[in-house]
Amino acid sequence: MIVVFFILFLGLELKHYLADYFLQPGWMLGGKGDFRRPGGYAHAAVHAGLSAIVLFVAGTPPATLALLVAAEYVVHYALDYFKIHYSRGVHVDTNPRRFWALHGVDQLTHQLTYAAMIYVVLQAKQLL
């Protein structure tokens, strides 16, 4: 169980870092928070696609993998959408404490999503 846990934990952490900080060009950033623009959808798809790879490597059963990838797509899009709206007008240079607090809440909610995904996989593989 511990090997599967660490594959999932480290894999999801790495993919989050890559998807948020290296694979998110300006058009994705600019499109979050607007249902009419493709940026948020594309960003959520990058996250979901990379998660699919991590889940596959961890030997996640196919039905569970499909469910988790779809759920992550929806949850990730929703979290980013709401982050854009509740942090509107908060800038790092004018209100750094509030900016970083909101950024922290955003990152925490994504990490809790990964914790739930790990739990579901371990349950599906009957390792808990």
Side-chain angles (χ1 to χ4, degrees):
M1 181 199 59
I2 197 77
V3 171
V4 174
F5 172 83
F6 276 106
I7 289 170
L8 290 165
F9 177 71
L10 296 173
L12 291 170
E13 291 299 314
L14 179 61
K15 79 90 190 173
H16 185 84
Y17 178 66
L18 292 172
D20 266 10
Y21 299 103
F22 291 99
L23 301 175
Q24 185 172 202
W27 68 269
M28 282 186 192
L29 282 168
K32 290 185 193 179
D34 186 341
F35 289 126
R36 299 164 296 173
R37 297 177 66 192
Y41 301 108
H43 177 66
V46 168
H47 272 279
L50 292 175
S51 287
I53 294 168
V54 172
L55 294 169
F56 179 80
V57 169
T60 304
T64 303
L65 188 151
L67 176 71
L68 287 173
V69 168
E72 189 190 2
Y73 178 83
V74 171
V75 169
H76 198 98
Y77 183 90
L79 291 173
D80 283 356
Y81 179 86
F82 289 115
K83 175 188 71 171
I84 293 299
H85 290 278
Y86 70 68
S87 65
R88 189 161 277 146
V90 178
H91 301 286
V92 69
D93 53 343
T94 58
N95 196 345
R97 184 178 170 100
R98 182 158 168 77
F99 175 87
W100 289 112
L102 291 172
H103 181 73
V105 168
D106 173 64
Q107 293 302 299
L108 175 62
T109 57
H110 290 303
Q111 298 309 311
L112 292 173
T113 301
Y114 303 140
M117 291 170 69
I118 291 169
Y119 178 79
V120 168
V121 172
L122 294 178
Q123 284 282 62
K125 291 175 67 76
Q126 299 180 351
L127 296 173
L128 291 179

